[in-house]
Amino acid sequence: MAAAPYPAMSGAAQSFEMEAVIFDLDGVVTRTADLHAAAWKETFDTFLERWAAERSTPFVPFDLATDYLAYVDGRPRFEGVRTFLRARGIVVPDMAEEGGGDLVLDIGERKNDEFLRRLRRDGVTVYPSTVALVEELRRHRIRTGLVTSSRNGREILEITGTAHLFEAVIDGTDLDERTRGKPHPDAFTRCAELLDVTPSHAVVVEDAVTGVAAARRGNFGLVLGVNRGDHHAALEAHGADFVVDDLAEVDARSLDARFRECREEAAWHVEQEGFDPVREHAMESLFTVGNGYVGVRGSPDTLWPGSQGDLFVAGVYDRKHVDRPYSEHEFLNIGGDSLHAELVSAPFPFRLRLSVDDLAIDAVGAQTRSFRRTLDLHTAVPVTEMRFAIDDARAVTMSARRCASAAERHLLLQEVTIHLENHAGTVELDATLRDPDLTANHPHLVPLPARAPAGIEVHRYRTQASGYEICIATRVTLAGAGRDSVYWQAPAAPGKALTFRRYVAVYSSRDVDDPVATAVADLEARSWDDFDGAWRRHEARWAETWRHADVRIGNGYPTEQALRFNSYHLQSTAARVPHVSIGARALSGRAYEGHIFWDVEIFMLPFYLHTDPAVARNALMYRHYTLDGARQRARDFGHRGACYAWESTVTGEDVTPRTIRLKTTGREIPIFTGTQQIHVTADVAYGVWRYWDATHDHEFMRDYGAEILFETARFWVSRSTRGPRYHHIRGVVGPDEYHHSVNDNAYTNWMARFNLQQALAAAAWMQREWPGAWGALCERLDLVPAELGAWREVAGALYCAAPDKRGVIEQFEGFFDLEDYPLPAEERLQAPVHRLFDWDRINRLKLIKQADMLMLPFLFPQAFTDGTLAANYDYYEPLTDHGSSLSPAVHAALAARLGRREAARRYWRQSLWLDLSNVMTNSSLGVHPACMGGTWQALMFGFLGLRFDETGPVCAEDAARRLPDPWRSVSTRLLWRGRSYPVEVTR
Amino acid sequence: MTRFQSILVPGRGAAPADWLATALQARLHMLDAGSLRHRAVLEAVAEYDADLVVLEIVGATLQGSARRVARAVVESSEVPVLLVQAGETPVLPWRRVIVPVSGRPEGDTALEFAAALADALDMDVIAAHVVDPDTGGDGLEWAARYADAPHHEYPNQLDEFVRRALPHCSAAERHVVREVVLCHGEPAIELHKLVALRDASLLVVGWDEHLFDDRSVVLDRLLSGVGCPVMIVKPAARLPFRLNVGDDVE
């Protein structure tokens, strides 16, 4: 049904962000609620009177004040009948059962007949304020729709003369299995489809709690409740963003203002509705809390059997062992053995067992009626709200919040509130952190005895091989009880919620000599009076974080939301202590075993440099801390200097396996990265230089950075071989891991040359600025002037391929001669598993896993003209399957610079939403912080074309033109050499 | 008490049915051969509250009335169907069950069902992800992709197949799944090879909407020469879930 054209508003056009408004009919547009209510009462009373007489029970009439609103209002007719009869204890067979639907059908049809009789007899009135609002919206060209459960919806619109007001109508005749009635969101989302708007760009106006709940579930941008009776609070409780008594209280402009506010607020939250065990592990990753020292996956407080509620302590690793695998299904790793091969998982520190009236309740139990989990990105606090129905007469709600304190890195906080909605009963809470399946769930830990003072529960563990100790201690109280215990049994009643509070202290022997004594002292020093203060300190620290970590996108709320989500994880996992760095999945999952890769220096470091340089410094201090391991590794290869491990953990030794063996077939697949992906050494040096350049932290360079640059420069001189004209680096794997044993990889050689150049620059700087420190360092490293000459010679003669006549730089020697491979579109970003089996064949193909040569213009934009960049982008991009999450962001940045708007937008969105939409289907294993860092870089250095000069950050002249639709602007603040600068680009 | 309390055998008796009923302590309901009409079988499924239907098939594939019955039972009643080839002498007791998984819901359901059955019958479970190189990207379902470094991603992805299929099982309970194997080749052939290699007693597969289509050859390929009974299980409905992010994500 198409609405009649409406005259547009004259004069200056008002810019609205809401694109459509969808109205409920009964109670919003028309005053049919009275007719419906009267028809329901007439019909039900007739039935109930007969029912009571047949059973000799008292007749209890249908109550318009309670029964109508609770069981019937807003629901599809037959569903309303069923719900009310069930509430009265009248067993209603399923409609599908023989004869089962007769009773429901009969009552429903009678009610409809009665309603139509009254409608035709008495007519129906409309709310003039609603009609006025709809007309105003139409004049502003805002689309309007109508949704009603009534099968008479269209007839009522015709009778009332309002049909022309709505471009799309869904009524009860449109409902079926695919378009279910309220409280399902289907009818609203279908209406939005008909209006050609996404729900988040639309407003729903509803007067029934079921309708409000449906719109909330549908993720509509704004849900406006109309309180026609006395259910203001109920409308808010079910999801109305705000409530009015009549639509005369709003106009198009004020409604749009509310819509903007809601959208803006929604962009600070990530919300999950419903609990799906299949998706739960991915949700646990997304809702991880962390502070750089600890990370805790976002499992529900009431753990369920399949939960992977891991606690990770940064820097605590243990030996991988076939009998203590995380996941040794099918694959055996051979080589890479180490005392510190695998990040250790410890028991979940928010574990609760909750029962009401002796019945255990949890997220996956049959009693669970609703589950909502919301991550407030502002405060870094996830809140879980669950509602349980023990039976028809006993409903329970539970709300829980938690955090890993950003202000006190050894502290975790948890608060749980239990409310018995409609009955008095006994609540039992068991908050012990003892894991009954410790061996199976956390195989690296051996429990040790620990003495604990009264009121504090202490768990002490030692890792099996590496011998680290971890202590997790907790105090729990019931608010108002005045004592501490992990076991509580307390009476509760409606209006008397029980609130439990928990402190958790986590220490490891990597930080303190006696983790137990330190944890106990920590908790003993805490007062419950300061519990809220501890939350406030945490929130204040995050508020400070967002000063630089936040990016505002004009007219881009969803993008803001995703960027904040990424920044949240980058900050949650940030290296807060100097001896640890950031693993490939941070502290959010077991995948990659917590190993440290080039991801940190190349993909994450720039984010920290300009938002929180102390983190960047810590990440580089880890490289200094592991320098001895890198030296040993160079010696193991027969070279000088320091060669960083492709995968490292505690000491700097390489923990990459040499081979994997499939158990089923015995087939072995070699892993070349550990021995050949040596560019990581130059990547570390690049990170040192970039940190120095961005911060002018000269003390760092003098005391730590220069040593890294010198030792890595030594390695490259030793690792390169001299040819007739050039020095060469042979037998490597570049970022593109599909090709092994290649010579003169463009990325590796370029980065090695840069490493040598920066070592020479740092040496000159030290000689000039810090001659004493220079002399001491030379003595300690046995560095003589002639060695600098060797660096200079290799830097000047290291083979770095020039562009050919097409402008293309060969990725490595002989790449152009490889066999062509027509890459199917479906294999992009979804590398098929047979890549694993075909590794040797792939080595001979022009098939690239991730940006390799294209990394160079990404990292050194000024070194490549647009023409050279275009030639290389056009050559390599079609050959790349993006088998790594790191690849799309690089392509997005380069495409943005080249003005390839569609490609830039597509790649950037893939990168931006990688975890929130589970693009690579592996977010259950942990989030992808390097991808998040790459996404941020693509925005800053690609779309904005940002560079820094002596005045601070400078955006590209054409930055505004690079912005994707529908953005109007990008603004943020960045740190550069100790000062904070605003950055803003407006289209 | 197990979840398998009532077994229905329409048509001719099938060899493992008696053993299953005894091992599971389930009631066995036999329908005469004239009742091999799908409506009659569906009525019997409802009447006897059957948890499992055992159906004998003649020949290498599932054809005619047996196909219609199997389809009706699985799709309408959602009760699993065990297909046993006539004349095949079963090796009893069952010791090992193989389940193809791919991260899709049907594989999850099949594995969950197989784990429960294995628990009741003291069997081992082997989950197998078979990657078909000939179908390229088409053969890779959304949850079955692997990315990046094989030694980091692949084992975890396989492990996740088990975890997501058995969400209500603790880590200890999941150990009924003894192996998760990754195979490379045409799925039916690889599964047949695996059945023979592991001396499997049973293959449990998840139903999808095309499994019984007349033009679909998947089921026929699977049954032809498999060498053990095949169980078909329909996935349960997914729970309501939504991640409220973005405009068009989720």
Side-chain angles (χ1 to χ4, degrees):
Chain A
M1 178 166 69
Y6 237 79
M9 201 82 154
S10 59
Q14 165 83 40
S15 173
F16 287 91
E17 288 202 3
M18 62 181 182
E19 295 174 8
V21 182
I22 300 173
F23 292 82
D24 174 41
L25 178 65
D26 304 336
V28 174
V29 177
T30 59
R31 200 189 293 272
T32 46
D34 293 346
L35 284 180
H36 279 291
W40 278 118
K41 181 162 177 58
E42 173 75 24
T43 309
F44 273 132
D45 281 353
T46 302
F47 164 76
L48 291 169
E49 200 165 3
R50 194 184 76 234
W51 180 269
E54 287 171 0
R55 286 156 182 78
S56 301
T57 54
F59 163 54
V60 181
F62 182 81
D63 190 319
L64 283 175
T66 56
D67 293 334
Y68 179 70
L69 289 177
Y71 307 118
V72 176
D73 187 27
R75 296 179 191 272
R77 193 190 318 151
F78 298 119
E79 182 57 28
V81 177
R82 242 189 311 271
T83 306
F84 171 69
L85 294 181
R86 283 196 186 120
R88 285 294 179 93
I90 299 171
V91 177
V92 184
D94 191 89
M95 290 282 283
E97 295 178 30
E98 192 172 344
D102 292 353
L103 178 63
V104 174
L105 284 172
D106 183 55
I107 293 176
E109 293 299 343
R110 283 174 189 273
K111 181 265 170 182
N112 195 44
D113 292 345
E114 180 62 23
F115 171 76
L116 290 174
R117 190 181 66 77
R118 288 170 183 262
L119 176 69
R120 286 160 190 159
R121 184 191 69 192
D122 303 335
V124 63
T125 58
V126 298
Y127 289 100
S129 56
T130 304
V131 172
L133 176 62
V134 178
E135 288 175 336
E136 185 194 359
L137 293 168
R138 299 293 309 280
R139 283 196 299 274
H140 286 297
R141 300 188 187 280
I142 294 166
R143 312 198 74 173
T144 53
L146 184 131
V147 168
T148 175
S149 298
S150 170
R151 298 177 69 83
N152 308 303
R154 288 187 174 85
E155 183 176 347
I156 293 170
L157 289 177
E158 293 298 334
I159 288 173
T160 55
T162 53
H164 68 289
L165 294 174
F166 303 102
E167 294 172 73
V169 174
I170 299 288
D171 78 2
T173 61
D174 300 308
L175 303 183
D176 53 29
E177 284 187 358
R178 298 183 66 179
T179 308
R180 296 165 297 176
K182 307 165 192 175
H184 298 289
D186 307 1
F188 285 121
T189 52
R190 176 74 185 126
C191 188
E193 271 178 40
L194 293 175
L195 293 171
D196 196 24
V197 297
T198 52
S200 58
H201 290 199
V203 176
V204 168
V205 184
E206 253 289 358
D207 75 317
V209 291
T210 49
V212 162
R216 174 53 56 222
R217 284 190 195 177
N219 198 26
F220 281 83
L222 175 72
V223 182
L224 169 58
V226 183
N227 175 36
R228 298 295 189 197
D230 187 22
H231 51 298
H232 188 116
L235 289 168
E236 283 188 336
H238 283 79
D241 293 303
F242 77 109
V243 178
V244 295
D245 290 332
D246 188 86
L247 291 178
E249 296 172 38
V250 296
D251 58 16
R253 194 182 304 269
S254 66
L255 194 60
D256 191 59
R258 289 279 195 168
F259 175 81
R260 290 171 193 243
E261 284 173 22
C262 278
R263 293 269 286 166
E264 195 156 320
E265 189 57 26
W268 279 105
H269 294 85
V270 172
E271 182 183 77
Q272 170 197 345
E273 286 199 19
F275 187 90
D276 182 355
V278 167
R279 295 170 179 243
E280 179 56 14
H281 286 160
M283 295 303 107
E284 288 176 344
S285 299
L286 303 189
F287 287 87
T288 293
V289 295
N291 58 16
Y293 176 69
V294 292
V296 185
R297 283 170 60 83
S299 307
D301 305 72
T302 53
L303 284 179
W304 55 293
S307 291
Q308 192 161 343
D310 293 328
L311 159 71
F312 299 107
V313 181
V316 176
Y317 292 81
D318 192 32
R319 184 188 295 280
K320 196 176 175 89
H321 191 284
V322 69
D323 294 331
R324 294 193 298 275
Y326 281 156
S327 47
E328 285 290 348
H329 290 303
E330 184 62 292
F331 291 83
L332 280 176
N333 287 347
I334 301 168
D337 189 27
S338 163
L339 271 182
H340 311 105
E342 201 159 65
L343 185 65
V344 168
S345 83
F348 188 59
F350 301 117
R351 171 188 286 265
L352 297 177
R353 275 178 288 277
L354 175 68
S355 53
V356 176
D357 300 341
D358 292 328
L359 188 69
I361 50 182
D362 62 34
V364 291
Q367 306 87 3
T368 306
R369 289 293 173 270
S370 66
F371 182 97
R372 178 183 297 176
R373 184 157 43 190
T374 308
L375 173 60
D376 182 340
L377 296 162
H378 238 312
T379 57
V381 174
V383 177
T384 303
E385 294 164 294
M386 291 189 277
R387 186 167 186 273
F388 311 94
I390 299 172
D391 51 37
D392 286 346
R394 292 182 293 175
V396 181
T397 55
M398 170 181 161
S399 175
R401 61 175 181 149
R402 66 175 68 153
C403 75
S405 173
E408 300 164 86
R409 68 172 192 256
H410 295 277
L411 179 66
L412 303 169
L413 300 168
Q414 179 186 27
E415 185 175 69
V416 178
T417 300
I418 315 289
H419 180 217
L420 307 191
E421 289 183 6
N422 50 4
H423 74 289
T426 302
V427 172
E428 194 173 347
L429 185 95
D430 176 355
T432 181
L433 298 184
R434 184 173 299 106
D435 187 335
D437 290 324
L438 182 76
T439 305
N441 290 333
H442 310 288
H444 288 293
L445 297 181
V446 178
L448 299 175
R451 298 182 65 177
I456 296 181
E457 185 181 91
V458 176
H459 295 277
R460 178 184 169 213
Y461 306 101
R462 187 175 59 218
T463 57
Q464 299 260 11
S466 57
Y468 292 127
E469 282 199 19
I470 298 173
C471 176
I472 306 170
T474 187
R475 278 177 67 189
V476 181
T477 193
L478 170 62
R483 62 188 177 88
D484 296 350
S485 173
V486 292
Y487 299 100
W488 288 94
Q489 194 173 45
K496 186 190 167 197
L498 301 179
T499 299
F500 299 92
R501 290 173 178 151
R502 186 205 289 273
Y503 286 124
V504 181
V506 181
Y507 287 84
S508 87
S509 57
R510 287 209 70 184
D511 324 302
V512 294
D513 292 336
D514 188 340
V516 170
T518 312
V520 168
D522 182 324
L523 292 188
E524 284 183 322
R526 295 190 183 277
S527 155
W528 289 115
D529 292 339
D530 188 45
F531 189 75
D532 289 334
W535 281 100
R536 283 195 295 272
R537 289 191 292 278
H538 162 76
E539 292 175 1
R541 187 61 64 89
W542 270 96
E544 179 64 22
T545 294
W546 286 117
R547 282 192 64 220
H548 290 100
D550 193 27
V551 180
R552 300 301 313 271
I553 307 288
N555 199 27
Y557 297 121
T559 304
E560 279 186 353
Q561 180 190 43
L563 281 168
R564 285 172 183 148
F565 174 81
N566 291 353
S567 294
Y568 162 80
H569 277 285
L570 284 166
Q571 289 291 344
S572 296
T573 198
R576 302 289 178 194
V577 280
H579 60 252
V580 300
S581 187
I582 302 166
R585 296 303 182 92
L587 299 172
S588 68
R590 297 180 178 189
Y592 291 78
E593 291 97 13
H595 292 182
I596 318 296
F597 293 76
W598 70 317
D599 305 28
V600 179
E601 284 77 13
I602 299 300
F603 289 92
M604 297 185 227
L605 197 80
F607 170 83
Y608 296 121
L609 285 178
H610 302 297
T611 62
D612 194 348
V615 174
R617 190 180 200 276
N618 280 340
L620 293 170
M621 286 303 295
Y622 164 81
R623 295 300 190 181
H624 188 265
Y625 178 81
T626 56
L627 192 52
D628 278 344
R631 289 182 176 117
Q632 181 60 48
R633 182 166 164 74
R635 283 196 294 274
D636 292 344
F637 284 138
H639 297 299
R640 299 186 66 215
C643 174
Y644 281 98
W646 176 241
E647 301 183 26
S648 67
T649 55
V650 174
T651 64
E653 67 179 316
D654 187 52
V655 287
T656 316
R658 294 189 310 277
T659 306
I660 52 175
R661 180 185 296 152
L662 273 70
K663 292 179 184 174
T664 306
T665 60
R667 185 172 177 178
E668 292 198 354
I669 296 165
I671 305 293
F672 295 99
T673 53
T675 52
Q676 296 191 6
Q677 206 155 359
I678 55 174
H679 65 75
V680 63
T681 295
D683 300 333
V684 172
Y686 172 85
V688 168
W689 164 78
R690 194 148 177 184
Y691 172 77
W692 188 35
D693 187 45
T695 63
H696 274 186
D697 181 350
H698 301 314
E699 287 73 21
F700 170 83
M701 179 56 87
R702 180 194 62 197
D703 297 340
Y704 308 105
E707 188 175 359
I708 293 173
L709 289 176
F710 298 163
E711 288 288 59
T712 49
R714 266 184 169 162
F715 169 73
W716 291 118
V717 170
S718 173
R719 180 64 171 75
S720 63
T721 53
R722 184 173 190 159
R725 288 184 60 194
Y726 296 106
H727 287 262
H728 303 273
I729 300 175
R730 299 203 165 97
V732 303
V733 172
D736 163 27
E737 293 167 351
Y738 288 162
H739 296 96
H740 64 87
S741 310
V742 304
N743 298 332
D744 287 330
N745 168 250
Y747 176 81
T748 304
N749 286 20
W750 181 294
M751 295 298 285
R753 183 177 67 179
F754 185 77
N755 189 162
L756 290 159
Q757 290 167 340
Q758 296 313 312
L760 287 163
W765 172 78
M766 281 196 74
Q767 290 173 59
R768 187 175 67 248
E769 302 290 336
W770 306 94
W774 164 252
L777 187 59
C778 286
E779 189 172 337
R780 187 153 56 84
L781 300 182
D782 198 16
L783 189 63
V784 295
E787 196 167 351
L788 270 63
W791 298 357
R792 196 168 290 111
E793 182 202 330
V794 175
L798 188 60
Y799 180 78
C800 288
D804 66 6
K805 61 185 179 187
R806 299 167 297 177
V808 180
I809 296 169
E810 191 171 34
Q811 182 173 304
F812 54 78
E813 180 187 79
F815 183 87
F816 291 151
D817 300 327
L818 296 179
E819 187 182 332
D820 289 329
Y821 179 78
L823 179 62
E826 62 270 18
E827 291 186 10
R828 288 168 165 261
L829 212 71
Q830 300 157 19
V833 71
H834 60 74
R835 296 272 193 277
L836 171 70
F837 299 94
D838 295 342
W839 59 270
D840 200 28
R841 177 173 171 256
I842 288 169
N843 197 38
R844 300 191 295 273
L845 302 178
K846 280 186 192 143
L847 174 65
I848 300 172
K849 179 183 174 187
Q850 65 194 92
D852 189 306
M853 189 272 139
L854 291 179
M855 287 299 299
L856 295 174
F858 178 68
L859 297 180
F860 303 95
Q862 277 80 36
F864 294 84
T865 65
D866 285 352
T868 303
L869 171 59
N872 283 278
Y873 182 91
D874 290 341
Y875 179 81
Y876 286 110
E877 190 268 348
L879 309 181
T880 307
D881 75 6
H882 310 291
S884 163
S885 63
L886 305 177
S887 191
V890 177
H891 285 79
L894 302 181
R897 173 179 163 185
L898 291 171
R900 315 278 175 89
R901 291 169 57 87
E902 177 48 35
R905 181 177 180 277
R906 174 167 45 83
Y907 277 124
W908 196 69
R909 283 174 59 81
Q910 286 171 349
S911 192
L912 177 69
W913 294 99
L914 192 96
D915 281 309
L916 281 172
S917 62
N918 204 6
V919 169
M920 298 187 85
T921 71
N922 59 4
S923 294
S924 58
L925 312 178
V927 298
H928 299 73
C931 172
M932 294 167 172
T935 305
W936 184 90
Q937 288 194 68
L939 174 58
M940 295 299 155
F941 307 120
F943 287 103
L944 303 191
L946 195 72
R947 60 185 173 80
F948 294 89
D949 63 19
E950 296 307 315
T951 66
V954 179
C955 294
E957 287 181 2
D958 64 343
R961 286 200 301 276
R962 298 184 189 183
L963 300 187
D965 293 328
W967 300 2
R968 285 199 289 264
S969 61
V970 177
S971 59
T972 188
R973 294 193 71 86
L974 296 177
L975 292 165
W976 173 251
R977 295 179 180 171
R979 287 187 57 192
S980 171
Y981 294 89
V983 172
E984 181 155 7
V985 171
T986 301
R987 208 203 288 263
Chain B
M1 189 192 305
T2 72
R3 63 193 260 185
F4 310 101
Q5 297 179 55
S6 174
I7 298 174
L8 180 70
V9 185
R12 294 165 20 162
D18 290 335
W19 172 78
L20 265 177
T22 304
L24 294 169
Q25 296 181 297
R27 297 186 306 278
L28 190 63
H29 304 281
M30 310 288 290
L31 292 185
D32 63 50
S35 300
L36 199 57
R37 290 175 291 109
H38 68 273
R39 288 189 191 283
V41 175
L42 284 178
E43 286 170 6
V45 165
E47 181 181 353
Y48 299 119
D49 197 15
D51 301 304
L52 179 65
V53 172
V54 182
L55 201 59
E56 186 176 63
I57 59 174
V58 178
T61 59
L62 186 62
Q63 302 298 336
S65 60
R67 191 179 187 100
R68 285 193 293 276
V69 168
R71 179 174 198 159
V73 171
V74 172
E75 295 184 355
S76 299
S77 73
E78 303 187 5
V79 169
V81 169
L82 177 66
L83 302 172
V84 182
Q85 279 177 329
E88 197 169 80
T89 306
V91 178
L92 300 172
W94 288 350
R95 289 295 178 213
R96 193 163 295 118
V97 50
I98 290 174
V99 186
V101 295
S102 66
R104 294 182 64 190
E106 52 263 34
D108 295 344
T109 304
L111 188 56
E112 191 269 342
F113 179 87
L117 191 68
D119 185 53
L121 296 174
D122 194 23
M123 291 193 292
D124 293 344
V125 178
I126 299 173
H129 182 209
V130 184
V131 178
D132 186 349
D134 293 335
T135 57
D138 294 338
L140 290 169
E141 299 303 341
W142 64 273
R145 296 172 194 146
Y146 301 79
D148 218 337
H151 53 294
H152 289 301
E153 292 271 354
Y154 289 50
N156 284 292
Q157 286 284 44
L158 289 172
D159 192 47
E160 190 62 14
F161 287 162
V162 178
R163 291 172 172 274
R164 51 179 282 145
L166 307 176
H168 302 292
C169 293
S170 66
E173 291 166 334
R174 284 196 298 270
H175 283 177
V176 69
V177 182
R178 300 288 185 195
E179 292 180 68
V180 185
V181 302
L182 183 60
C183 307
H184 191 225
E186 200 281 313
I189 293 172
E190 291 301 312
L191 287 170
H192 292 177
K193 282 198 284 191
L194 201 57
V195 165
L197 189 69
R198 291 290 194 273
D199 196 19
S201 317
L202 175 67
L203 185 66
V204 177
V205 298
W207 171 91
D208 76 23
E209 58 186 332
H210 303 299
L211 189 68
F212 287 104
D213 286 356
D214 291 338
R215 283 178 295 178
S216 170
V217 295
V218 173
L219 189 57
D220 290 339
R221 280 187 186 165
L222 206 57
L223 290 171
S224 180
V226 62
C228 72
V230 174
M231 185 98 76
I232 300 171
V233 186
K234 185 176 179 183
R238 298 283 289 272
L239 298 171
F241 174 92
R242 185 175 182 88
L243 187 64
N244 292 329
V245 291
D247 278 343
D248 52 5
V249 176
E250 290 283 342

